[in-house]
Amino acid sequence: MTLELVNLSKNYGNHVIIKDLSLIVKNSECLALLGPSGCGKSTTLRLIAGLEEADNGKVFIDNNDVTRISPVNRRIGMVFQSYALFPHLTVLENLSLGLKVRSVPLQEQKRSISYIIDLLKLNPLINRKPAQLSGGQRQRVALARALLRDPLVYLLDEPMSNLDAQLREVLRPELRNIIINKQQPVVYVTHDQQEAMAMANKIAVLNEGNLEQIGTPKQLYEKPESTFVASFIGRPQINFLTGSGNRVIGIRPEDIQIADEGLTTKILYREWLGTNQLIFLDTPIGKIRMLCSGNTELPENIKIEWKKEYEHHFNKQTGKRID
């Protein structure tokens, strides 16, 4: 089972939303579409689902061209940011509705719903309406409804953006395990790089409708192909320094060390991050962020260094990687 996009494009008037996007998502692969607001992530998802019509290009699901097929016939399981539950129906009724519309036999309905309810621990909630549920509970119901479609492809549009940080951390591994174990291709839209790296085994970074880079989280972190990708992947954010000639040097805060001999700096302020602290430094070559242990006591002036092999070099004009 594969999902394939071939030269997919979408414009609104003269505004390019998606430009010649091509990618493949295989069985048990979770591809995160990552990028800032307005980069084309959600539009791409809607093109896959058939909720928007592409200007050019094709969408293939299981090697079948579905570009002109209606959304209801694409066998897509979609989870929206807004949950999209029917407010006047109970949890059980929300889960049952789609099966009834598709005329699934009653015994099969009961068997499928019972399995999903147990899987997502929804038993205590089945008689409640959406207004009586917490954000996390609503998201579980929305996911359960998508799973009940028995789809060929799962599409998740910022499914946890309305949840608080603590709840997101709890739900992320559960959601990943459920979806990966289903073995269908998954496309997961998010603007949060930490969420993308936690959920996905492949990430496509979009910028103004263009695919900047696609690869595993490790590949994007260790070898970003542009300053845009380097700044979007990895937290705390990478430092950029002006190099010689037509060169920009990127060095990550975690790759900088305190040294006896090195670049002289002055501490401007610090942010405490639990076991670590992020130090903001003023240096002769610009402002630099450095990550170090939260227990480290530092004087106002320190010297720093980093290994040459940890540097990332980019073209100053194009922003593209220089090897």
Side-chain angles (χ1 to χ4, degrees):
M1 183 72 61
T2 58
L3 166 69
E4 184 175 5
L5 310 185
V6 180
N7 298 326
L8 208 60
S9 296
K10 180 67 178 178
N11 302 329
Y12 292 140
N14 294 324
H15 186 47
V16 177
I17 306 299
I18 296 293
K19 183 179 180 181
D20 295 329
L21 178 61
S22 296
L23 51 84
I24 297 176
V25 190
K26 299 177 182 178
N27 248 12
S28 298
E29 245 182 15
C30 180
L31 171 73
L33 295 179
L34 178 65
S37 297
C39 72
K41 306 185 299 295
S42 293
T43 299
T44 300
L45 215 65
R46 293 176 66 83
L47 291 172
I48 297 170
L51 301 175
E52 298 264 4
E53 187 174 333
D55 294 324
N56 292 294
K58 293 183 181 296
V59 178
F60 293 89
I61 297 177
D62 197 21
N63 296 319
N64 296 312
D65 185 352
V66 300
T67 312
R68 304 303 171 196
I69 292 178
S70 66
V72 72
N73 293 319
R74 293 195 186 193
R75 287 186 63 186
I76 296 290
M78 193 157 184
V79 181
F80 295 92
Q81 176 182 354
S82 59
Y83 316 126
L85 302 176
F86 292 101
H88 62 290
L89 300 181
T90 66
V91 168
L92 184 58
E93 290 166 339
N94 264 283
L95 298 181
S96 303
L97 185 60
L99 299 176
K100 290 177 180 177
V101 169
R102 297 198 303 276
S103 301
V104 175
L106 185 59
Q107 287 304 313
E108 188 178 337
Q109 286 186 39
K110 290 180 178 178
R111 185 167 57 252
S112 298
I113 290 173
S114 177
Y115 170 74
I116 291 297
I117 284 173
D118 287 341
L119 182 66
L120 289 174
K121 303 177 178 62
L122 294 173
N123 281 291
L125 311 175
I126 58 173
N127 294 317
R128 297 186 194 178
K129 293 184 177 179
Q132 298 170 297
L133 303 176
S134 68
Q137 290 168 338
R138 291 181 202 177
Q139 198 57 276
R140 287 173 190 266
V141 176
L143 177 60
R145 189 176 56 186
L147 293 172
L148 281 168
R149 284 189 57 82
D150 190 26
L152 299 177
V153 175
Y154 287 103
L155 305 178
L156 292 89
D157 190 5
E158 306 244 23
M160 290 187 277
S161 64
N162 290 333
L163 308 180
D164 62 61
Q166 186 174 0
L167 186 54
R168 286 201 299 270
E169 287 189 15
V170 172
L171 283 183
R172 265 202 303 257
E174 293 184 17
L175 181 57
R176 179 181 167 84
N177 286 339
I178 290 167
I179 289 175
I180 295 300
N181 288 339
K182 296 293 285 186
Q183 298 189 340
Q184 282 90 339
V186 179
V187 181
Y188 191 106
V189 163
T190 181
H191 65 278
D192 184 335
Q193 64 94 24
Q194 183 178 356
E195 190 166 300
M197 296 183 82
M199 289 296 300
N201 40 34
K202 193 159 68 173
I203 298 174
V205 181
L206 299 180
N207 180 22
E208 296 182 346
N210 295 298
L211 179 61
E212 286 272 337
Q213 187 175 352
I214 187 168
T216 66
K218 187 173 187 288
Q219 288 168 341
L220 269 60
Y221 176 82
E222 293 184 347
K223 196 173 181 180
E225 292 298 327
S226 66
T227 53
F228 182 85
V229 175
S231 63
F232 218 85
I233 297 292
R235 290 293 181 272
Q237 199 173 53
I238 194 169
N239 297 290
F240 288 117
L241 307 171
T242 301
S244 59
N246 191 33
R247 190 175 294 257
V248 172
I249 298 171
I251 184 71
R252 297 196 180 276
E254 56 270 33
D255 292 331
I256 300 173
Q257 299 175 328
I258 299 170
D260 294 328
E261 298 293 332
L263 185 65
T264 300
T265 73
K266 178 182 179 181
I267 295 179
L268 297 175
Y269 61 98
R270 65 190 74 196
E271 292 180 1
W272 297 96
L273 307 174
T275 56
N276 293 320
Q277 55 180 321
L278 182 61
I279 310 296
F280 292 78
L281 302 167
D282 188 17
T283 83
I285 58 174
K287 302 290 192 300
I288 290 179
R289 294 177 294 275
M290 177 184 72
L291 197 66
C292 67
S293 168
N295 296 323
T296 306
E297 292 292 337
L298 299 173
E300 183 180 10
N301 295 291
I302 60 172
K303 293 184 178 181
I304 61 170
E305 64 178 7
W306 57 84
K307 294 181 180 178
K308 200 75 174 174
E309 59 262 35
Y310 291 156
E311 290 183 355
H312 303 271
H313 291 233
F314 303 94
N315 183 289
K316 194 181 297 182
Q317 270 69 48
T318 67
K320 299 302 181 182
R321 186 178 186 88
I322 302 172
D323 286 319

